Amino acid sequence: MQSKTKKLLAALIAAGFVPAAYAADIKLGVAEALSGGAAQYGVSIRNGFQLAADEINAAGGINGNKLVLVVEDEQGKKEEAINVFKKLIFKDNVLMVFGPTLSNSAQAADPIAQAAKTVAFGTSNTADGITSIGNYVFRNSVTEADVLPATIATVKAKTGLKNVAVLYGNDDVFTKSGYDNFKKALEDQKIPVTTTETFAKGDVDFKAQLTKIKGTNPDAIVLSALLAEGAPIMVQARQLGLNVPVIGGNGMNSVKIFDLAPGGASNNLWIGSPWSIENKAPENIKFIDAYKAKFNGSPDQFAAQSYDAMYIVAQALKNTKITGELPKDRAALRDALPSVTWTGATGPFKFRQANDRAGKPAGYDADQAPIVSVTKDGKYVI
Ligand code: 1QQ
């Protein structure tokens, strides 16, 4: 485009006469928890998106068009996720939205994207039912339903556990869904539960529940928690002399646990994930090296999944003709996404269609198998 025409177009966009999608930039919304307790995950997620978008742009963008991220902090709160989704979709006119960080927020905000026929792509939502919201809802995060049975089976095989105590947060979509799936997996694998205890978001003292658990002498603790509560739970369990394995879900799968539960308190934590820092596949080594160089620290699963998600969307965009008509472009991106396959930091990836509550086809889940790791001296090892 000649510079005069470019200037005129920029003026028309600024004055609101022409939607921004007419520009050659492809605007993608990023709605993640960048402050508050869930920022433990959200900052890594944002870093993964930035790294991938920078790499894609440096390699020529999408058919010559540049990816531009519009990043918003949804604070890990569902009301804020709703606000941010509305801003990105209706004011910023983004082509699609990545996020939000927590399933708790996704359950509230994704219906807005669905109603606006705009893709909502979660890279960290693992609760049941998120992709039942509708056919514009995608995720590449592997669900608790897919991960937890494998995690339990591995710990059983490796430690010979005979029974477990269960501890979960009963006021969060993810921690409750983790509990439901743990319960089912324990029943299916015929592992008795010695006691089931609960906590709520914001709790800081878990000694009452842990003392009760200790009294039942379990072989392991099954824990469905986010880091904000899960890390102090590990610290207090170890203080009480409860040194049994802790079996966690996605919320406990972060290198932040080593800082939040220091001095060995984080040892013997078992989690399942498609991503491991130990995976020596070339795509993963490239990702880890590039992440370290850009952010001066090691990546985690959350960064790996957002990094891969950006490439998955880039693949879909390469097969989408961007016309500048936003509703048309949003629908075209949705239609191009389900058939994308991609081998990235988390290994080979493809989508699997989910059903809604009535059993009709809805959104898309990740079709990926987990690897189970255990923490040892500040590392997740396979
Ligand atoms: C969810 C999760 C959290 C651990 C996201 C960071 O898996 O809320 O679904």
Side-chain angles (χ1 to χ4, degrees):
M1 226 184 289
Q2 291 194 335
S3 83
K4 251 188 172 174
T5 325
K6 250 190 182 165
K7 266 192 194 151
L8 180 64
L9 185 59
L12 289 172
I13 290 168
F17 292 121
V18 174
Y22 280 103
D25 291 346
I26 299 175
K27 281 211 280 183
L28 307 177
V30 171
E32 301 291 348
L34 304 177
S35 60
Q40 308 278 8
Y41 313 106
V43 171
S44 288
I45 296 171
R46 184 205 50 202
N47 289 352
F49 286 135
Q50 267 170 359
L51 178 60
D54 287 354
E55 286 179 4
I56 292 163
N57 286 337
I62 308 291
N63 306 326
N65 296 333
K66 196 171 130 206
L67 293 178
V68 175
L69 305 187
V70 186
V71 181
E72 290 290 342
D73 179 9
E74 45 82 352
Q75 302 171 24
K77 297 181 187 150
K78 60 182 178 184
E79 301 77 14
E80 237 0 81
I82 290 172
N83 289 341
V84 162
F85 263 50
K86 284 185 179 162
K87 176 187 176 282
L88 291 169
I89 294 169
F90 302 115
K91 290 217 173 79
D92 297 327
N93 289 324
V94 295
L95 186 61
M96 60 156 291
V97 183
F98 285 110
T101 301
L102 302 179
S103 292
N104 207 51
S105 305
Q107 201 185 53
D110 286 3
I112 290 161
Q114 178 65 35
K117 294 197 173 6
T118 302
V119 166
F121 193 136
T123 66
S124 58
N125 310 142
T126 60
D128 291 344
I130 300 299
T131 45
S132 326
I133 290 168
N135 63 343
Y136 276 79
V137 180
F138 290 75
R139 60 176 157 189
N140 70 330
S141 35
V142 185
T143 63
E144 300 304 304
D146 283 342
V147 172
L148 299 184
T151 314
I152 299 262
T154 304
V155 187
K156 189 182 177 190
K158 292 204 172 160
T159 71
L161 65 81
K162 299 265 182 305
N163 59 30
V164 298
V166 175
L167 179 55
Y168 76 100
N170 62 4
D171 61 349
D172 174 272
V173 168
F174 155 77
T175 58
K176 271 200 286 187
S177 180
Y179 166 68
D180 293 341
N181 283 294
F182 267 133
K183 187 165 179 280
K184 184 172 184 307
L186 291 167
E187 279 164 14
D188 289 349
Q189 296 177 40
K190 303 194 169 31
I191 300 171
V193 174
T194 62
T195 183
T196 299
E197 303 296 323
T198 61
F199 60 85
K201 257 186 220 285
D203 285 357
V204 291
D205 186 347
F206 307 92
K207 295 222 172 63
Q209 295 95 318
L210 291 167
T211 303
K212 213 164 157 207
I213 286 173
K214 193 176 178 205
T216 67
N217 199 23
D219 291 341
I221 301 170
V222 161
L223 177 62
S224 186
L226 292 166
L227 277 176
E229 291 79 29
I233 284 171
M234 290 210 63
V235 171
Q236 292 169 30
R238 298 333 187 195
Q239 280 169 354
L240 289 171
L242 255 173
N243 291 315
V244 292
V246 173
I247 307 171
N250 202 44
M252 297 302 286
N253 184 7
S254 165
V255 285
K256 307 278 174 357
I257 192 69
F258 304 124
D259 298 329
L260 299 171
S266 60
N267 276 344
N268 215 356
L269 165 66
W270 297 73
I271 54 93
S273 166
W275 185 78
S276 164
I277 203 155
E278 308 279 316
N279 175 4
K280 301 287 184 265
E283 294 84 2
N284 196 36
I285 290 179
K286 175 177 167 262
F287 160 70
I288 293 168
D289 289 349
Y291 189 100
K292 282 184 178 162
K294 194 175 174 77
F295 300 109
N296 212 4
S298 286
D300 61 13
Q301 173 216 236
F302 294 95
Q305 282 176 325
S306 58
Y307 176 84
D308 282 1
M310 186 62 70
Y311 274 100
I312 291 166
V313 166
Q315 292 310 107
L317 285 171
K318 281 182 186 159
N319 301 323
T320 308
K321 200 173 160 351
I322 300 291
T323 65
E325 283 177 60
L326 199 50
K328 210 168 157 184
D329 293 343
R330 284 173 169 172
L333 171 61
R334 195 233 76 97
D335 292 345
L337 266 173
S339 59
V340 172
T341 58
W342 180 250
T343 300
T346 63
F349 175 86
K350 63 181 192 304
F351 286 111
R352 180 180 72 207
Q353 191 156 28
N355 289 335
D356 67 13
R357 296 237 166 90
K360 294 215 189 81
Y364 293 83
D365 285 327
D367 193 355
Q368 261 185 330
I371 310 160
V372 178
S373 311
V374 60
T375 53
K376 196 164 183 275
D377 303 331
K379 274 190 178 154
Y380 287 95
V381 292
I382 300 172

